[in-house]
Amino acid sequence: MMAYDAQQNLANSPARAGLPASADWPMRLIDGSEPGRDGVDALVARALALRAGAAPRMAPGRRVAALFLNPSLRTRTSMEIACAALGAHMVTLSPGRDMWGIEVEDGVRMDGTAAEHAKDAIAVLEQMVDVLAVRAFAGLEDAAADRADPAIAAFARHAKVPVINLESARWHPMQGLADTATWQSHLGPNLRGVPLTLTWAPHPKALPAAVANQVLLSAALQGMDITVAHPEGFDLDPQVLARGSAIARHGGGAVRIEHDRDAALAGARVVVAKSWSGFSGYGRRDDEAKVRAGHLAASLGAAGSSWMVDAAAMAKTDNAGFMHCLPVRRNVVVSDAVIDGPRSWAHETAGLRLYTAM
Ligand code: CP
C-alpha cells in the first residue's frame, strides 16, 4: 500500500480545480496514523472547536466522490453534511446499485458481475473531483485478501488525488478520529496511560474487525493503557496487535489481552464495545458461528457468562464512559440501561463524526 506522502498529496490537491491549496486539506487517510500523533491531536482540537461553534474554514467548489460498497448511516451523512457545511460538494455512489459493480484486483479477467475496473473509475472520477473516498468491508473468508485490504489499496495505488478510507477491511480512520475526539473531550488532551477496555460483544452475525483494529490503533497513538477483552477464539490479527503494542509503548501506553471480562473492566475509564470475528477463525467460520451462538444465547439469558455490556459490567469500571461506533444491537451488545444512561458517550461520538469529517 502506498505510504502517506504529504508533498505528493499537496501536489495532487485542489490546485487541479484551480483552488488554493491549504496545509490541512489534502489528507490521505488509510489507517488514521498518517498525520501522526500531533496531526491527529490538531484535527481533534479543530473538531472540538467546530463543535463549540468556531467558524469553519470554507472549501467552496471542492468536490468529493465517495463510493460505498457497504451500507452506512453515520459515515455517509457526516461526510455529505460536512461537505455542504464547507461549501463543497460530495457525490455518493453505490457500486453494484446506482453505479456499475467495481473490480479492484489488477490483471483479472472481468467475466464476473463487476462491469467496471477501479482503475478506470478512478481515472474518470479524478478528472472531476478533488478527493476520492471509499468504503469496502472485509469478506472474512480469506485472511490474506482481508489483510491486503484490496479496495482501499486499489484507490491508494491508482488515485493521484487524495484518498479517504470510509471503513475498509482493516481500518476505519474517520471513526478513530471521532473516538479520539470523544476521549479528549471527556478526559483531556493528554490520554497517556488512561485505561481503556476494548471488549468483544455478542452478535448474531460474523462481523469484520476494522472498528476494533481502529480503536486499538487510535488509542495506541494516544499512548493509552489498552486492554483487549474477548473470549477464546475471537482474537484480533496478531499483526495489528503487534503494531498497536509498539505504537502504544512508544507513546507511554501498553496493550494486553484478557479473556476474563470482569478483570478486563476493572479500573477502566473508557469501555468500547464491539463484536468481531476471530482472526484465527478464517477457514472455520462454521465452527466460530456455533461458539458465537452460545455467547448470543448467554447474553439473552441462557446459562453461561454473558459478554453483553450491562450495568453490572459497567459497575466494575472506574466510572467509565461507554462507547460503541453504532449501529448497535440493543440488549445483545449493550443493555438499554447502559446505552441510554448518563455514562454513555455513544451518541456523542456519532455526533462528533460531523466535526471530525469537516
Ligand atoms: N460507525 C459508522 O461508521 O457508522 P455507519 O456504518 O452507519 O457509517
Side-chain angles (χ1 to χ4, degrees), residues 71-76 135 137 166-167 172 175 325-327 353:
S72 167
L73 187 157
R74 281 142 289 270
T75 304
R76 176 175 171 171
R135 162 170 285 202
F137 292 170
L166 299 178
E167 189 175 342
H172 193 357
Q175 183 67 44
C325 63
L326 306 178
R353 293 289 304 270

Side-chain angles (χ1 to χ4, degrees), residues 64-68 72 75-77 79-80 89-95 97-99 133 166:
V64 179
L67 279 64
F68 282 85
S72 167
T75 304
R76 176 175 171 171
T77 309
M79 290 290 292
E80 289 188 1
H89 179 74
M90 177 164 134
V91 58
T92 300
L93 299 162
S94 302
R97 294 196 291 278
D98 58 20
M99 174 191 151
L166 299 178

